[in-house]
Amino acid sequence: MTTFAVVRPRAREAVLLQVLACATVALAPVEGYLTAVQSQLGKVAPAVLTLTWLAVRLRGRQLPRPTPLHAVLALLALVLAATAALHAAGPFTAEYTVRWLPFLVVTAALADVASREVPIRWLLLAAAAGATVAGAGALFSLIVGGEARASGPQPDPNDLAYFLVAAVPLLAALHRRGRGAVLAVAGIVLVAGATATFSRGGALGLGAAAGWLLLRRVLPWRVVAAVAAAVAGLGLAALLFAGPQLDRALQEKSFIAASNVDTRELRWQAAARMLTAHPLLGVGPGGFREHYAAESHDAEVDEQTPVAHNMYLEVAAELGLPGFALFAGVIATAAVASERTVRLAGPGPQRTEAVATQASLLAVLVTSTFLSEQYYLPLWSLAALAVAAGTRVRREGEGSADAGAARDQ
């Protein structure tokens, strides 16, 4: 009876963490819909997950399983606090510091719960499901809403493409007998939705992810051909039934693309100058927006406080070289952990999940060359899942070794 009384609360806690973790990654792609209902609604799931995780660990007197990722996150938080304190008077410093910190904490929480209570597959499924809903919203906004470029739950079509292309590789890890049709539909919705954004960065990210899955022999060529044929069929139908609208969208995109090349070059140069002038602690969180007009010599009269449209340059300019090194350390830690999982797991679901996570992370990294995406969850959640998968496969290997040693005795 005593044992039952102890186990049952722990089981309830595990279920609660599972629900909250899955909700956090599933709702991230559709945060725009939640924000339209209430401005802070999109932050509820990650906030409750963080508080619940802390309460469960304190109640059980457990510390998070130590990993290199947690150490890198802690050091990054210290650098962030230092540069925020140095530039506390900046008009955007407080706002952007508050945007940074939750991602660091949620990443630590996801890495811990995914290594213990929450199966990796569930979180991959939740992320793919949320992105598929966002992809359907993108197509709805294009077909029914009459938008020139699909945006769905995100104000910027490029940001929407970021979510969609990051989710496509995850479908490869979810294949099970009997689910082929469902996953095929989800893949078509995601690829078609990303295509409807007309995002060049998204297209490059999707191509990189597909290439990685093919290289690691996780994605068969016939699946690529089938999805490409389906998307081409949808494109032909759009051309036949919405030709004028599609032509207008292509013309607008061509005009925007031509101007984007020039403006992004200006912003990248301004970010590089900020980093050169402030290499140690940068210009502070949100400092790129504050200093852009001065550094660019008012090159964009109609846009005085933009983003850099390059995640790496913007992070380096705002946090300095130490901060950027730690930010890159998050990515490197995830890459090393996922590759270790691929090698230790051997053929099977764990290897497939690890390769799919790698491909998704690759899509994020390529897309972020043209976008400032450090304030969106996919980068952080993928890093957390990569490290959690490494922790799980290593623990299982140690358990098997211990069991073998016990049998030998």
Side-chain angles (χ1 to χ4, degrees), residues 64-380:
R65 294 186 188 278
T67 67
L69 178 63
H70 289 96
V72 173
L73 291 171
L75 291 173
L76 181 55
L78 289 176
V79 172
L80 178 67
T83 185
L86 180 64
H87 301 283
F92 303 107
T93 301
E95 174 189 350
Y96 276 78
T97 301
V98 171
R99 291 182 71 180
W100 265 102
L101 288 174
F103 286 110
L104 304 184
V105 177
V106 167
T107 304
L110 283 174
D112 190 44
V113 299
S115 69
R116 290 177 172 177
E117 293 92 351
V118 190
I120 303 292
R121 178 174 294 273
W122 291 15
L123 293 168
L124 298 179
L125 177 61
T132 303
V133 172
L139 297 176
F140 181 86
S141 70
L142 185 75
I143 298 170
V144 179
E147 295 182 359
R149 297 175 63 196
S151 59
Q154 299 295 330
D156 189 329
N158 292 312
D159 293 333
L160 177 63
Y162 169 82
F163 278 101
L164 300 185
V165 301
V168 172
L170 303 182
L171 299 177
L174 301 174
H175 180 70
R176 285 286 187 275
R177 184 173 296 179
R179 295 182 187 173
V182 175
L183 294 178
V185 171
I188 292 169
V189 169
L190 290 171
V191 175
T195 303
T197 66
F198 296 96
S199 170
R200 293 168 297 173
L204 290 173
L206 183 59
W212 187 256
L213 292 175
L214 290 168
L215 181 66
R216 304 305 291 263
R217 298 182 180 180
V218 167
L219 183 66
W221 278 102
R222 64 179 182 275
V223 174
V224 177
V227 173
V231 173
L234 290 174
L236 179 61
L239 184 63
L240 292 175
F241 294 101
Q245 180 182 343
L246 184 61
D247 184 60
R248 176 171 61 89
L250 289 172
Q251 289 179 358
E252 289 185 9
K253 177 58 181 177
S254 298
F255 175 77
I256 293 172
S259 62
N260 278 350
V261 172
D262 296 331
T263 56
R264 286 181 181 177
E265 184 178 356
L266 289 171
R267 296 177 189 184
W268 295 354
Q269 290 173 351
R273 285 194 292 270
M274 292 179 200
L275 176 60
T276 302
H278 306 275
L280 186 58
L281 289 176
V283 293
F288 179 85
R289 296 184 64 187
E290 177 187 355
H291 297 284
Y292 175 69
E295 288 291 349
S296 66
H297 307 293
D298 286 319
E300 295 183 72
V301 177
D302 59 339
E303 185 60 270
Q304 296 291 294
T305 58
V307 295
H309 273 292
N310 181 297
M311 179 177 72
Y312 312 104
L313 283 173
E314 187 166 319
V315 170
E318 295 189 348
L319 303 187
L321 291 176
F324 177 74
L326 291 167
F327 179 75
V330 173
I331 299 169
T333 301
V336 171
S338 63
E339 188 59 28
R340 183 180 295 116
T341 302
V342 170
R343 295 179 179 180
L344 292 178
Q350 284 183 316
R351 180 186 183 276
T352 303
E353 291 171 8
V355 173
T357 302
Q358 288 178 334
S360 184
L361 187 59
L362 180 61
V364 164
L365 297 179
V366 171
T367 306
S368 297
T369 305
F370 309 97
L371 301 170
S372 297
E373 299 297 338
Q374 64 270 31
Y375 303 113
Y376 292 97
L377 189 62
L379 169 68
W380 304 98

